[in-house]
Structure formats: structure tokens, C-alpha cells
Amino acid sequence: MRRSWLAFAAVAYLSILAAVIHAQPVQPPRTLSAEMRAALERVYTQALPASVRIETVPEGTGSGFFISADGLVMTAYHVVEDTRGFWVIDSKNQSFSAELVGYDEFRDIAILRASVNEPVPFLPLETTSGPSVGEPLLAIGNSRGQFIAPRYGIVNTVERDIFPFFNSIAISTTIPLAPGDSGGPVLNQAGRVVAVVVAIGQPNGVFESYLSPLQGLGEVIAQLQAGRKRDVPYIGVQLFQIDDETAATLRIPKEGVLIQGLLRGGAAERAGLRGFAIRRENGQEVYEFDVILEADGRPFNNVTELQRYIRSKEVGDTVVLTVRRGQQILKVELRLTPNPTRRS
């Protein structure tokens, strides 16, 4: 299982920024009624033949589901990202080689093509509407050593803000998910897939599971099926929030975000931006650093907000940063790139 399954407290953005869950009220856990569970059990029976297990090299396990009779499979992108190969195993324990067709890293959704020999059962997608708070849902996955097993739960919120490098409108639920369930289908009582399993966490000490919604993604999914590969755009910097102590120590205003470091080969390094450094001059410590004040003329005093703005762009887009360097105010233009640390 890949990085999205790390506990939120341990997930870091560019190795220094802890994943953030914005303070939002979590409604008390709800339980499924007997009628709800019975309805979802019927959905599971119908959906089982189209659900799959995904095995990867290096060793990893994920979940997915057929979305077309000719073998297209939907899963979470992090299940197959940075793997050397993967294959799909269906409910009859038949194994198929597969290849990556398209993906959207920001939404954590990918389309694979399995080498099936005959038409396969597939699940209908619901892209015109999404689940509501309190609605019962079924997820199908491969965690805890189980094979294409059902998990039931209730929707907590439909606009959970989980962390800045992921889709900010995740659905949070009480479904008891675990590593191995990533990429599995999430179905409503009508038997339609409304979301894909992507993560788990414990905000405020309350367990939640997170889903990437399909609502409004009809065109996006069509693009992925046609081969589109959308990477998350990067500036290529490690950022640090300027708090009162930092502002006092560095003798700077509490505005903007501090560049703590640069990613080798990233857009910021190529544009000549500077990470934080300390040198000694005449026996005294001298701090050198750049502070990002604005992006495209918009002021940013919060690391997460700046990250979200950059994530709203596309790889290849140009962004103009306003940067303070000592007493200078600079305008730096850079072109956004995929994650420069990702292996080729």
C-alpha cells in the first residue's frame, strides 16, 4: 500500500510539512439500520463480479473495479504510482496483466487496461450527483488479508478538507477501511459507483475514511480513458509557516511564506530562488532566505493556501512569484513541473 495510507500526523509535504486537516465538526458516528445493510448486501452481491484486487511490483496490494466490458479498470492512482508493474485479479481469481492508461494525481484516480480475453462485467458510474450526509455506502476492497470483501458505513461529510496536495472535496465516512482497500469502488444503494477509496485518518481522535468523489467528473474520466496523464504541479520548494517566533528571530514582518529549501531540479531552483541558509560574518550569524509574498498578484500568508493555489494549476503553467530577499522585492517567473523528486 502506498503513501496515502500513512497516518496524517506522519504524512509530510516535501518532507517538512505535516498533513493538515482543517478544523471541521465531525458528526457523531451513525450506525446502519438493518434495512440499509440488507440493501447494501444486495448491492455487494451484484457488484462483486466487477470488483478486482490489484497486485503491484514492488510488493503492494490495492483494489479496483472494471468500468467497461473491454477491461478498463478504475483505481486510486497512488496504488500504481511508482510501480514497476501490476496485474489485476478478478472475483474468479483470474489474473490479467495490465497497463496504465491515464491518471489524475490531484484527484488520486487512475484508469488501467487489463488484458482480458472476453467481455467482463463492469460497474456503472454516478458522475451527475453525489452522496449526502447520513447516506449509507458500500466499499469493496482487499484489506486485512481478505479478497474483494464488503465494508459498510455512513457519510460524515461531503466536503472534507484533508491535505493540500489532494483533492480538497473528499467525502469522509465511517466505513472501516484499511491498507489494501485503496482504489476500491464505493457504491450507493442504487448500485452505482459514487467515489473511489483513497485514504484513512483520525482527526480529533475520531476514525474516518476518505473517498475521492466522481460527481462532476464525466469529462475528466473520458479524458483519462483517452490517455490523459495529469500530474500535480510543483514549484519545487520546501515551505515554512512564518509564526511570531520566526518573525522575531529573523526580524521580518509576519507575512508571506518562507522558503526553507529547494528541490533539486525543480522550477524554483532553476529560477534562482534561495532556500534558508546560515553563514557567519565577522563572528555573527547571518540568515539568508527568500519569502514568497504573492503568486500571480495574490498575497499568501499561509503555507496551505499557497499550496492549494499551485495545485489548482496545470504542469507547464507559468506562475509569477513576488519574493522578498533582504530589502529587495523581486518578481520571479517560473514554469510549474511535476514532482522533481519522482524517479523516472
Side-chain angles (χ1 to χ4, degrees):
M1 189 49 53
R2 313 230 108 66
R3 65 177 179 274
S4 291
W5 286 105
L6 297 175
F8 283 158
V11 177
Y13 168 66
L14 302 182
S15 79
I16 65 163
L17 298 173
V20 175
I21 300 177
H22 290 251
Q24 298 182 24
V26 178
Q27 300 189 16
R30 299 179 177 88
T31 58
L32 290 169
S33 67
E35 293 78 13
M36 290 176 177
R37 188 177 183 90
L40 291 178
E41 287 174 348
R42 289 192 293 271
V43 170
Y44 170 67
T45 300
Q46 296 168 353
L48 176 60
S51 303
V52 303
R53 177 184 177 98
I54 297 175
E55 298 287 350
T56 68
V57 180
E59 183 178 359
T61 300
S63 304
F65 54 102
F66 287 115
I67 62 171
S68 71
D70 61 351
L72 288 181
V73 173
M74 182 175 287
T75 187
Y77 176 54
H78 75 263
V79 170
V80 297
E81 181 185 11
D82 293 332
T83 62
R84 293 197 297 271
F86 45 86
W87 59 97
V88 169
I89 303 170
D90 69 7
S91 62
K92 297 179 182 178
N93 212 29
Q94 298 178 108
S95 181
F96 307 99
S97 61
E99 61 181 1
L100 180 63
V101 175
Y103 62 82
D104 186 321
E105 184 181 9
F106 182 65
R107 295 181 174 90
D108 202 3
I109 292 174
I111 302 295
L112 318 178
R113 181 175 294 281
S115 300
V116 298
N117 298 318
E118 57 186 25
V120 294
F122 61 94
L123 298 179
L125 306 182
E126 180 54 74
T127 60
T128 59
S129 63
S132 57
V133 173
E135 182 174 342
L137 295 176
L138 159 72
I140 302 176
N142 295 276
S143 65
R144 305 177 182 91
Q146 298 176 321
F147 182 63
I148 315 182
R151 292 83 170 82
Y152 307 104
I154 298 291
V155 175
N156 281 336
T157 63
V158 295
E159 293 187 346
R160 172 67 76 204
D161 190 356
I162 56 177
F163 38 74
F165 44 87
F166 177 73
N167 187 352
S168 61
I169 54 171
I171 300 166
S172 69
T173 77
T174 65
I175 302 174
L177 301 173
D181 291 326
S182 277
V186 182
L187 300 101
N188 59 20
Q189 293 182 90
R192 300 182 67 83
V193 179
V194 296
V196 173
V197 173
V198 291
I200 55 176
Q202 279 191 297
N204 306 316
V206 179
F207 175 87
E208 289 188 317
S209 53
Y210 301 106
L211 320 173
S212 187
L214 300 187
Q215 183 178 6
L217 298 190
E219 183 177 348
V220 170
I221 293 170
Q223 292 173 351
L224 302 186
Q225 291 174 310
R228 185 186 184 196
K229 297 178 172 66
R230 182 179 186 261
D231 291 292
V232 168
Y234 279 74
I235 299 176
V237 293
Q238 296 170 322
L239 299 174
F240 188 82
Q241 187 73 44
I242 301 175
D243 54 20
D244 291 333
E245 182 180 359
T246 302
T249 300
L250 300 180
R251 298 180 180 179
I252 59 175
K254 188 181 173 183
E255 61 180 0
V257 294
L258 178 70
I259 298 179
Q260 179 170 327
L262 305 176
L263 297 183
R264 180 167 297 180
E269 182 185 62
R270 295 200 300 271
L273 292 178
R274 298 177 182 177
F276 185 84
I278 303 175
R279 61 180 176 83
R280 298 194 68 84
E281 185 175 291
N282 299 325
Q284 300 291 321
E285 288 187 343
V286 177
Y287 303 112
E288 296 180 338
F289 53 88
D290 285 347
V291 173
I292 299 175
L293 302 175
E294 299 177 351
D296 294 333
R298 303 183 183 192
F300 289 96
N301 298 319
N302 180 279
V303 167
T304 300
E305 291 176 359
L306 176 57
Q307 291 168 347
R308 289 203 185 284
Y309 178 72
I310 297 301
R311 295 299 181 261
S312 72
K313 302 291 184 179
E314 298 280 351
V315 169
D317 285 352
T318 296
V319 174
V320 177
L321 301 180
T322 302
V323 177
R324 179 191 294 116
R325 177 179 297 167
Q327 301 302 313
Q328 294 180 292
I329 301 295
L330 310 174
K331 296 287 187 181
V332 180
E333 182 177 288
L334 48 81
R335 187 175 297 276
L336 301 176
T337 68
N339 183 353
T341 67
R342 179 180 297 159
R343 72 190 185 200
S344 58

mmCIF file of all heavy atoms in Angstrom, residues 171 193 291:
data_model
loop_
_atom_site.group_PDB
_atom_site.id
_atom_site.type_symbol
_atom_site.label_atom_id
_atom_site.label_comp_id
_atom_site.label_asym_id
_atom_site.label_seq_id
_atom_site.Cartn_x
_atom_site.Cartn_y
_atom_site.Cartn_z
ATOM 1 N N ILE A 171 -14.895 12.992 0.371
ATOM 2 C CA ILE A 171 -16.026 12.559 1.183
ATOM 3 C C ILE A 171 -15.472 11.803 2.380
ATOM 4 O O ILE A 171 -14.610 10.930 2.227
ATOM 5 C CB ILE A 171 -16.954 11.631 0.372
ATOM 6 C CG1 ILE A 171 -17.507 12.358 -0.856
ATOM 7 C CG2 ILE A 171 -18.080 11.095 1.235
ATOM 8 C CD1 ILE A 171 -18.149 11.425 -1.867
ATOM 9 N N VAL A 193 -21.416 3.516 -8.693
ATOM 10 C CA VAL A 193 -20.173 3.950 -8.048
ATOM 11 C C VAL A 193 -20.176 5.469 -7.927
ATOM 12 O O VAL A 193 -20.259 6.186 -8.927
ATOM 13 C CB VAL A 193 -18.942 3.494 -8.853
ATOM 14 C CG1 VAL A 193 -17.658 3.977 -8.164
ATOM 15 C CG2 VAL A 193 -18.925 1.980 -8.999
ATOM 16 N N VAL A 291 11.363 34.927 0.894
ATOM 17 C CA VAL A 291 9.994 34.811 1.377
ATOM 18 C C VAL A 291 9.053 35.063 0.208
ATOM 19 O O VAL A 291 9.157 36.096 -0.467
ATOM 20 C CB VAL A 291 9.696 35.813 2.506
ATOM 21 C CG1 VAL A 291 8.212 35.782 2.874
ATOM 22 C CG2 VAL A 291 10.559 35.513 3.725
#
